[in-house]
Amino acid sequence: MTESPKPESSPLDDTAIAAALGASRPRKPDPALPSPRWPEAAYYYILTLIEAAVLLGIWGFMQRGINEVITRGPGEQDSFWVHFKFNLWSTWDGLQEQCLSRPWLAAGILLGSAAIFVPRTARGRKRMATLVTGLVVACFATLIALQFMEDISMMSARSVY
């Protein structure tokens, strides 16, 4: 058998290696530079609205009172899916009630969350989304806590010791 001649390899210098390795890697966009608003801002806006809808629905269902939850809610022996279904539908019912009784609140959330579209940079949009989300959570967490304290005080006022 005859051996086939091996191709000679040419030595590569460091600049050729760096150019070959760097060519396949895309550059990461600078978050401080202006970037397209629509895709990223819409993503943050939709997530903020979903979060606000869930919190508004929980608060709306809690306003029905503790007796509604006790009479309609699942028992301790029910499965996880029964509890999940109850939580999903009760949140939906609470959201519907709040949108019908307080439409200004839902409109305020829609318009206030639109502030996410104002910043021109990706970093600014992320900060604005964090600020808007924080305000929504803080407001509804306070309302839910106040409603819970009111329900507990009503139940303890009716209890017999």
Side-chain angles (χ1 to χ4, degrees), residues 65-87:
I66 194 81
N67 291 333
E68 178 78 16
V69 176
I70 291 174
T71 57
R72 283 191 52 204
E76 291 180 16
Q77 69 281 1
D78 289 332
S79 70
F80 168 78
W81 294 110
V82 172
H83 284 272
F84 179 77
K85 182 181 170 187
F86 171 74
N87 289 335

Side-chain angles (χ1 to χ4, degrees), residues 1-159:
M1 278 205 220
T2 60
E3 289 185 28
S4 63
K6 293 183 181 177
E8 291 184 26
S9 62
S10 63
L12 294 174
D13 59 344
D14 290 338
T15 57
I17 293 172
L21 291 175
S24 64
R25 211 177 315 148
R27 286 187 170 182
K28 189 174 183 183
D30 186 11
L33 295 176
S35 63
R37 286 185 184 153
W38 179 247
E40 186 181 29
Y43 170 74
Y44 288 136
Y45 183 72
I46 289 169
L47 287 179
T48 303
L49 291 183
I50 290 170
E51 178 182 86
V54 168
L55 292 171
L56 183 62
I58 291 170
W59 180 57
F61 189 74
M62 285 184 72
Q63 285 191 325
R64 290 183 174 183
I66 194 81
N67 291 333
E68 178 78 16
V69 176
I70 291 174
T71 57
R72 283 191 52 204
E76 291 180 16
Q77 69 281 1
D78 289 332
S79 70
F80 168 78
W81 294 110
V82 172
H83 284 272
F84 179 77
K85 182 181 170 187
F86 171 74
N87 289 335
L88 187 68
W89 287 115
S90 63
T91 302
W92 178 251
D93 289 343
L95 177 63
Q96 287 176 337
E97 285 181 11
Q98 291 304 310
C99 287
L100 291 176
S101 65
R102 294 179 178 90
W104 53 268
L105 188 59
I109 291 170
L110 288 170
L111 291 176
S113 296
I116 295 171
F117 289 98
V118 173
R120 295 183 60 208
T121 63
R123 182 179 294 153
R125 277 189 292 276
K126 189 172 185 179
R127 287 180 181 167
M128 184 63 77
T130 303
L131 177 68
V132 169
T133 302
L135 287 172
V136 167
V137 168
C139 291
F140 281 111
T142 303
L143 290 172
I144 289 170
L146 289 173
Q147 187 66 40
F148 183 73
M149 289 172 46
E150 181 183 333
D151 289 345
I152 294 297
S153 68
M154 290 296 288
M155 292 304 292
S156 64
R158 295 180 186 164
S159 62

